[in-house]
Amino acid sequence: MNPDQLRSLIADVAAGTTSPDAALRRLTHFPGEALPFAHLDHHRMLRQGQPEVVFCEGKTVDHVLAVCTRLFEANGSFFGTRAAPEHAEVLRLRFPRLEYNALGRTVHLRLDPAPPPSGRGTILVVTAGTSDLPVSEEACATADALGNRVARLPDVGVAGIHRVLGSQEELRQAAVVIVVAGMEGALPSVVGGLVAAPVIAVPTSVGYGASFGGLAALLGMLNSCAAGVTVVNIDNGFGAAAAASRINQAWEEGGE
Amino acid sequence: MNPDQLRSLIADVAAGTTSPDAALRRLTHFPGEALPFAHLDHHRMLRQGQPEVVFCEGKTVDHVLAVCTRLFEANGSFFGTRAAPEHAEVLRLRFPRLEYNALGRTVHLRLDPAPPPSGRGTILVVTAGTSDLPVSEEACATADALGNRVARLPDVGVAGIHRVLGSQEELRQAAVVIVVAGMEGALPSVVGGLVAAPVIAVPTSVGYGASFGGLAALLGMLNSCAAGVTVVNIDNGFGAAAAASRINQAWEEGGE
Amino acid sequence: MNPDQLRSLIADVAAGTTSPDAALRRLTHFPGEALPFAHLDHHRMLRQGQPEVVFCEGKTVDHVLAVCTRLFEANGSFFGTRAAPEHAEVLRLRFPRLEYNALGRTVHLRLDPAPPPSGRGTILVVTAGTSDLPVSEEACATADALGNRVARLPDVGVAGIHRVLGSQEELRQAAVVIVVAGMEGALPSVVGGLVAAPVIAVPTSVGYGASFGGLAALLGMLNSCAAGVTVVNIDNGFGAAAAASRINQAWEEGGE
Amino acid sequence: MNPDQLRSLIADVAAGTTSPDAALRRLTHFPGEALPFAHLDHHRMLRQGQPEVVFCEGKTVDHVLAVCTRLFEANGSFFGTRAAPEHAEVLRLRFPRLEYNALGRTVHLRLDPAPPPSGRGTILVVTAGTSDLPVSEEACATADALGNRVARLPDVGVAGIHRVLGSQEELRQAAVVIVVAGMEGALPSVVGGLVAAPVIAVPTSVGYGASFGGLAALLGMLNSCAAGVTVVNIDNGFGAAAAASRINQAWEEGGE
Amino acid sequence: MNPDQLRSLIADVAAGTTSPDAALRRLTHFPGEALPFAHLDHHRMLRQGQPEVVFCEGKTVDHVLAVCTRLFEANGSFFGTRAAPEHAEVLRLRFPRLEYNALGRTVHLRLDPAPPPSGRGTILVVTAGTSDLPVSEEACATADALGNRVARLPDVGVAGIHRVLGSQEELRQAAVVIVVAGMEGALPSVVGGLVAAPVIAVPTSVGYGASFGGLAALLGMLNSCAAGVTVVNIDNGFGAAAAASRINQAWEEGGE
Amino acid sequence: MNPDQLRSLIADVAAGTTSPDAALRRLTHFPGEALPFAHLDHHRMLRQGQPEVVFCEGKTVDHVLAVCTRLFEANGSFFGTRAAPEHAEVLRLRFPRLEYNALGRTVHLRLDPAPPPSGRGTILVVTAGTSDLPVSEEACATADALGNRVARLPDVGVAGIHRVLGSQEELRQAAVVIVVAGMEGALPSVVGGLVAAPVIAVPTSVGYGASFGGLAALLGMLNSCAAGVTVVNIDNGFGAAAAASRINQAWEEGGE
Amino acid sequence: MNPDQLRSLIADVAAGTTSPDAALRRLTHFPGEALPFAHLDHHRMLRQGQPEVVFCEGKTVDHVLAVCTRLFEANGSFFGTRAAPEHAEVLRLRFPRLEYNALGRTVHLRLDPAPPPSGRGTILVVTAGTSDLPVSEEACATADALGNRVARLPDVGVAGIHRVLGSQEELRQAAVVIVVAGMEGALPSVVGGLVAAPVIAVPTSVGYGASFGGLAALLGMLNSCAAGVTVVNIDNGFGAAAAASRINQAWEEGGE
Amino acid sequence: MNPDQLRSLIADVAAGTTSPDAALRRLTHFPGEALPFAHLDHHRMLRQGQPEVVFCEGKTVDHVLAVCTRLFEANGSFFGTRAAPEHAEVLRLRFPRLEYNALGRTVHLRLDPAPPPSGRGTILVVTAGTSDLPVSEEACATADALGNRVARLPDVGVAGIHRVLGSQEELRQAAVVIVVAGMEGALPSVVGGLVAAPVIAVPTSVGYGASFGGLAALLGMLNSCAAGVTVVNIDNGFGAAAAASRINQAWEEGGE
């Protein structure tokens, strides 16, 4: 049942050409049909306040261009992750204002004029090692695209614990902390013990041998002895930022 | 929105006290609400033709008795899996007609009078070894409770391949074949190569060492070189029978 | 013992030149020999109603051409999976009527004239995301090649549950439903709760990190809380379609 | 360097008996010593706003009683998880006001008088099946003990998707949603697609066979296709509530 | 087709009441039917020279007694593995000559009079540590029951490599060597480098932590750098002895 | 202690210039030194009757040429596995009689004149599918190079069980059977139930998805319900042949 | 060749009754035989400076008593791990001076009079949580029994990083540091970054869910970003102490 | 708080412009701030006596050159691991004295003049097979760069146990032994039983099939039956050498 059909049905009831019982029968049987596919994106925007994000990996340049163009036409902006340089090049020809985060592999076309960042505070992205930076940058670019203030704290691995401690001021000022780490994945436990804000841990596939593609870091974070740490998938900087944005922006939406 | 509320809304539209637009707005926003929780079981019966099944494991005797009594009052029958002897004992006090399959650990109270089996043909449950019988019996009892004709072919492991070959007549007469096997789980591949009917493979946790609780059999079945074999969870005789029943009984429901 | 030898033996018994006991002894000892290798394909066609399917991956273009030509000469048709564009190109030179499903990587030469689809109803292939489409298309092309009516329902992931609900009409009209999903593999559980038809779940290797090459989706599907869902190997669109075809076509074969 | 030593050092500088350079040298070398062990708990309370929680499992009744008594003397309250009935019994003799959540296995002695709940909104704990309730209750009791308003939404598994949809109103009113599910762990993906609030997923060890003690649910949740879902350890209702409380209560602490 | 039916069929051909063609048709279609179930054990004895072995674990005392009695009546002897003391007690009441290997958990009733051991030479069972002895003894008792000469070489772990080297004489005199080891499973590699005879490695579940129930030993043995080492399942002393017996006894059967 | 030193020591004792006690002390302390490194290959040949085999993978063409040349000079022959076409090309320039098994990737330079095959009987290599042939051919070439008679039985997967049964004559004539299979690895169980000879199972990495690089086949074979089946590493055709050769050739060496 | 045989052989050479060549031949062939089994323990003590340690788990009380008595008679002392209270009770009846570490489950009978501790410095055993103490105590008792000075630093988990930093003085004074931690196993990385001494990490099986019996901690420690951390098996406090003792005591033995 | 701020604070106290109490408060709250980021490397050198090591893998040639140049300027030397030939080429243009270990993939620029090796004795690197040499050479080059005497013992796999025994003299003279082995990883157990020195085991990813990328060797080493063996990550030659250097060099630092 598409919206027009629904509208007709209700109009028919109002007009008396369909009995309430007949209308009831149709509506009871197909509860989901009231939401037609074609209106989905609008509904999602209303439901979650977040536009669709384009996952570019494995998509052709033409496909990505088509999807982004359609999103631009609907929303005046778009955001994509796992974008290769080729994706960015072709998009920039069509959208000269495009921003490409080469390390984080994201493409972003902001609204024009761009609204100021919103949300209660700053999302701080803490990174253990330089090899983890691509994941961190994906998180930073995503959090930025979703309208948040973002700060970075790079290169604070636990084997040099003094670096973490020397950054306590910045850690405490964040509304949400994202911690990105590979290898043993111990950093979120340390950070989680230092701050009161929510901490989202992102294991990375950085490492070799018994890191098993990020499994060691993932398990380490899931077993964190610091209460209040939650975890996302390996290398999922995007997901961490989406969660952080939900936390940071809930307050923009007004009370319940 | 419960059914009464939905009925009221439609009535209000019919009466002109609610405008079509206002009704439309409510219906668009909450597509799922049209199906109220309290009516769920009836809806499920209509939707799938299968009553709810009670999973007894980990439930107290009192809890199982209460649930079964409620189902009996609604449907005149009930069926439960993973029932311990204690469950069966207490249920039999209340329902003397109760059938308890001690090996398969199922409890069944049939409709009175019981309808004849339905479905296109027979569900044949093939078992590799005697240790796999509890899982097979769970499958047999479930298929029976769901209204199917059931046949058994026990003790036909692949290391004595002649036993399988000696049963080709029975294999070919089945509408659906369930194959239950532990250890290396090779039997479904052999059976799948001998029959044209759908084959559902059930790995069991029978074995030790590198069987890893049924993982070896599960992987073997998933990698079967016989096309047309599908697999359910380890020890899940119930699930195999539920799937077999869906296959066998679709024809009862009339055409599309 | 080849068929000629078997024929001779029986003739000798009939002629009295071999005693019944001697014949009995030979037949008891070598039960399998009665089926000679050279007659295998014919026997399989009789036994299962399905011709052999060519798995092209890892085979040279010349090898695939030779096998397909032999099958064409025997059956007037052939079907192959995991075919690279090079395979298709060379086959088309020889068989201009060849159909190549580039996304699903299948090659198909239909009988000429092609028989109409058979089977009780339609096999519906439901797909969670666009990245899962290659597996879905393998399933669609296979189901079609095995003589079934096929329908598609793409892009209905569970995170936008309204899309699934908006398609309930199509879901309910299918004789068999194949559900293809990667990542968390949750879609079959939702679909399994909405339909009464058999549901075959295909996990895909789509995902990254803790998807572990499709393991997450596979485990999710095996643990589905919806009774009646069965599972095939990761990315095995072919196997799902072969099983679905067994279910859909059993009724063509006449009763038992 | 303990606090007294630090105090002496600074006093010596003020008195001129230690040169600034000498003081600098000592302070640079031993940055961590300034925080003496004995002051730890107070510091933690300041740092994170959460008192220590007692993990009772594997501790003797006497040990738990001693620790709780010490915490009561310091804070006027205490909270413990994984408490056996024996733990609760002995604690209640000493603390008659003790609340024991038998299903969630928590012990709680509130402040007297108890302060009203704080935090921006309600933490909603959604549960897939009745077997998952012990984990849900641990989450509920923890969130309550940490000063939050808590609501429950039980028995909304994905195989009966209409139940989830019928609860959209409650889902949308929550400030944070905790989703507890075993087996395939699909519920957080569905919920994550319906709400804008942060969603914390808790896999449970409910299931058998290929659930591998909760691994299937854990992997499913980590691979959720719904952006913004984060995950905690298997059966870790406590950790989910601690994280949810961090999210819900940050706003009580004033701005940055 | 049971033996009587087969006999009838052949007799009918001989008598001329069934035509050779009709007989041929039935025999071609059902190649496996010629081997009736009831003759299976005899056939197996002919085919492999080994009687059936009773796996007692998980079987009731009554069940084991029944099976052993039937085997005794057919063969004058029986052999069982994984027998608990209760099994042995009850069997001994009925069969006073019963031998029970309490460490290896085997029950054996020899033929009376017992034939001398056969086979080309001795099967030597080498054991790494005292905790591995139950598995070794299962192997020894099985090899003995299958008619082989057996020798033991206990307590020769690789961390005291001199013990292995001090036993080279015994190692070289064996026709087949079974090596039983848990923990790191290194002993078969060392032994495999010292002898020319076939070496069968048995990993045991002895160990803790990262031995993962024998997985470490199993993987170690499969990756042995000594060519000519083959492996059986974890704790499968029976299987190793059965394989060793096949090797040792082939020569009894005469040439090809 | 090198051989010259050992010789000197003994000579000194004989000459009376070293006392027996002093000689004893040195020999007791360093039991292993009596075997000098430079004599290793000769010792190994004596100890095990097998020359060293060159594992070519990962070695440069020059390195392989140098090693093979040295072996040729010592033994008049050499044999290598995992040889790429480049390895074979360069070796053939130097050794025109070289045999290169392109499928099995082995290089072999026979003794000239080549001795006739030895051993008690034939090693039969059974292969499940055409994709498994590279591993089978490695086994065949190795068994041949080690001096055994070799026979092949290809393409006898379990889903077409009649093929296996049609080959029982060949199976029964083998002294040792090597069974090579990927996917579910079920063939060794079937073969093990048909023959009395030792059966060595080789899992291959053929498959996809839940075959996990051969793990499914490996576990299937380790859990075989056919007693007397032993297993080697995934894709280890060489190891299976080396073990089979030990079994087949022991009888050449004379009694114990 | 036992020592007497070796002695005879040398004497024969000295006497001229055996030629040097004949002696050489025997010695070359059996290099390992020179070390007879019966002398093993003495040799081990010389070779490694450590007496044998009794692993009591799974041994009967009588067996442990017998072994300890034999060791006492040989060495005047003994040491055992994984000793249950029953073991300790019976041993104390025989050896009233016995020390039983109930938490670490070790039994120790010191030499009388006991020698002072040796080794270069102190072995410091750092423990993350109170649940890890049994493993720590096994390490402490073992290090003590092997003659080292031992110090303890308990309850310094990384979520309260200030506790670690407050203990830097003690950490720096240790000759070897053993770090015992379960859950995420992050503590060794932090400690490894603070000290210059060798650090041995012991993962424990403390935790639940995704700790997978200590696997998470093990992988975390193996992937430690702090160079110079080595790891032992899960819960292997004994092994860590044995390694630490090797490091600490090498200097007692004099130069090379 | 950067060093200048710390200096100011202390100066203010000395000058009386800040009260001791105020200074105390700042210092107590932020114990980590006293260690400013810019001084980190110097602090590390003091703390651990080891300069930072450059992990080149995944870094651009320009990045590596920049980092090495900075280290050279600070320390007059640098050392890097996992360096590709391209890295070495560019570095050599700038630093003609550069040493490149092509097998071990390390780059080293020594101090000029280079100090003599230090430490108590020699670090012996034992290697099982030639394929393990890259890992061994990484260990050798690292141990050398950290100032130790290094010796090599290659090609001593356990299947030719005589080679190990023939090297006992060298094994006993080492202060620390590093054992590098792939496949079954059995060598450290054998070596650990022969020497009294600390043994560090390095599993390598050498192998195929069930070696699972080094997992088999890793598990084997963790389960070693030789007490006193510790383990590092798969292929982590660097980590083993860093740990060995800590052990060997502790004695250079003077007593505690």
Side-chain angles (χ1 to χ4, degrees), chain D:
Chain D
M1 190 184 283
N2 65 33
D4 289 338
Q5 289 174 321
L6 180 61
R7 196 183 315 270
S8 290
L9 179 67
I10 299 296
D12 287 352
V13 173
T17 56
T18 294
S19 74
D21 274 7
L24 200 61
R25 238 183 347 261
R26 276 199 72 187
L27 288 168
T28 306
H29 261 75
F30 308 108
E33 283 187 337
L35 184 75
F37 182 82
H39 286 199
L40 195 79
D41 287 346
H42 296 262
H43 199 262
R44 183 186 183 169
M45 182 75 84
L46 291 174
R47 222 168 56 232
Q48 304 195 312
Q50 293 177 358
E52 213 164 332
V53 170
V54 185
F55 185 82
C56 301
E57 198 163 276
K59 296 209 175 77
T60 64
V61 160
D62 287 350
H63 189 176
V64 167
L65 180 60
V67 170
C68 288
T69 303
R70 189 168 57 76
L71 286 171
F72 171 74
E73 283 159 3
N75 308 321
S77 73
F78 60 80
F79 179 68
T81 64
R82 309 282 165 114
E86 305 82 78
H87 291 121
E89 253 171 66
V90 169
L91 284 169
R92 202 189 304 273
L93 288 181
R94 170 77 182 74
F95 304 102
R97 285 192 299 111
L98 185 89
E99 298 168 34
Y100 180 50
N101 183 325
L103 195 52
R105 292 192 297 154
T106 57
V107 285
H108 189 192
L109 189 80
R110 291 181 197 273
L111 280 173
D112 186 16
S118 60
R120 178 174 165 274
T122 297
I123 295 176
L124 177 66
V125 180
V126 183
T127 313
T130 53
S131 308
D132 302 313
L133 283 175
V135 178
S136 297
E137 283 301 310
E138 185 183 275
C140 290
T142 303
D144 171 46
L146 293 173
N148 303 278
R149 267 183 301 275
V150 177
R152 290 161 169 87
L153 185 54
D155 204 15
V156 290
V158 294
I161 197 68
H162 301 86
R163 301 190 210 180
V164 183
L165 295 175
S167 309
Q168 289 188 68
E169 198 63 41
E170 284 154 281
L171 285 167
R172 287 199 190 121
Q173 282 171 359
V176 190
V177 183
I178 293 173
V179 185
V180 180
M183 302 182 79
E184 82 271 64
L187 188 57
S189 295
V190 173
V191 170
L194 291 174
V195 301
V199 174
I200 299 172
V202 192
T204 72
S205 55
V206 167
Y208 59 90
S211 88
F212 295 125
L215 179 62
L218 172 63
L219 293 182
M221 291 171 177
L222 286 167
N223 286 282
S224 173
C225 54
V229 173
T230 60
V231 186
V232 297
N233 194 3
I234 298 163
D235 290 339
N236 191 4
F238 163 72
S245 183
R246 285 193 181 205
I247 295 171
N248 191 43
Q249 303 218 334
W251 280 259
E252 300 300 308
E253 295 179 10
E256 303 173 29

Side-chain angles (χ1 to χ4, degrees), chain E residues 120-139:
Chain E
R120 178 176 165 273
T122 298
I123 295 176
L124 177 65
V125 180
V126 183
T127 314
T130 54
S131 307
D132 302 313
L133 284 175
V135 178
S136 298
E137 282 302 308
E138 185 184 274

Side-chain angles (χ1 to χ4, degrees), chain B:
Chain B
M1 190 183 284
N2 67 32
D4 290 337
Q5 290 174 321
L6 179 62
R7 195 182 316 271
S8 290
L9 179 67
I10 299 296
D12 288 352
V13 172
T17 56
T18 293
S19 74
D21 274 7
L24 198 61
R25 238 183 347 260
R26 274 198 76 186
L27 289 167
T28 306
H29 259 77
F30 308 108
E33 283 186 338
L35 183 75
F37 181 82
H39 286 200
L40 193 80
D41 287 345
H42 296 262
H43 199 261
R44 184 185 183 168
M45 182 75 84
L46 292 173
R47 222 168 56 230
Q48 304 196 312
Q50 291 178 0
E52 212 163 334
V53 170
V54 185
F55 185 83
C56 302
E57 196 163 277
K59 296 209 175 78
T60 63
V61 160
D62 287 351
H63 189 176
V64 167
L65 179 60
V67 171
C68 288
T69 302
R70 189 168 57 76
L71 285 171
F72 170 74
E73 284 159 2
N75 308 322
S77 74
F78 60 80
F79 179 69
T81 62
R82 308 282 166 113
E86 305 83 77
H87 292 122
E89 254 171 66
V90 169
L91 285 168
R92 201 188 305 273
L93 288 180
R94 169 76 181 76
F95 304 102
R97 284 193 300 108
L98 185 90
E99 299 168 34
Y100 180 50
N101 184 324
L103 194 52
R105 292 190 298 153
T106 57
V107 285
H108 189 192
L109 189 80
R110 292 180 197 273
L111 279 174
D112 186 16
S118 60
R120 178 176 166 274
T122 296
I123 295 175
L124 177 66
V125 180
V126 183
T127 314
T130 53
S131 307
D132 302 313
L133 284 175
V135 178
S136 298
E137 283 301 310
E138 185 183 274
C140 290
T142 302
D144 171 46
L146 294 173
N148 302 277
R149 266 184 300 275
V150 177
R152 289 163 169 86
L153 185 54
D155 205 15
V156 289
V158 295
I161 198 68
H162 301 87
R163 303 190 208 178
V164 183
L165 295 175
S167 309
Q168 290 188 69
E169 200 63 41
E170 285 154 279
L171 286 167
R172 287 197 190 122
Q173 282 170 0
V176 191
V177 183
I178 293 173
V179 185
V180 180
M183 301 182 78
E184 81 271 64
L187 188 58
S189 294
V190 173
V191 169
L194 291 174
V195 303
V199 174
I200 299 171
V202 192
T204 72
S205 54
V206 167
Y208 60 89
S211 87
F212 295 124
L215 179 62
L218 171 63
L219 294 181
M221 291 171 178
L222 287 167
N223 286 282
S224 173
C225 53
V229 173
T230 60
V231 185
V232 297
N233 194 3
I234 298 163
D235 290 339
N236 191 6
F238 163 72
S245 182
R246 285 193 180 206
I247 295 171
N248 191 43
Q249 302 219 334
W251 280 259
E252 299 301 307
E253 296 178 11
E256 302 174 31

Side-chain angles (χ1 to χ4, degrees), chain G residues 140-164:
Chain G
C140 290
T142 302
D144 171 46
L146 293 173
N148 302 278
R149 266 184 300 275
V150 177
R152 289 161 169 89
L153 185 54
D155 205 16
V156 289
V158 295
I161 198 66
H162 300 88
R163 302 190 210 180
V164 183

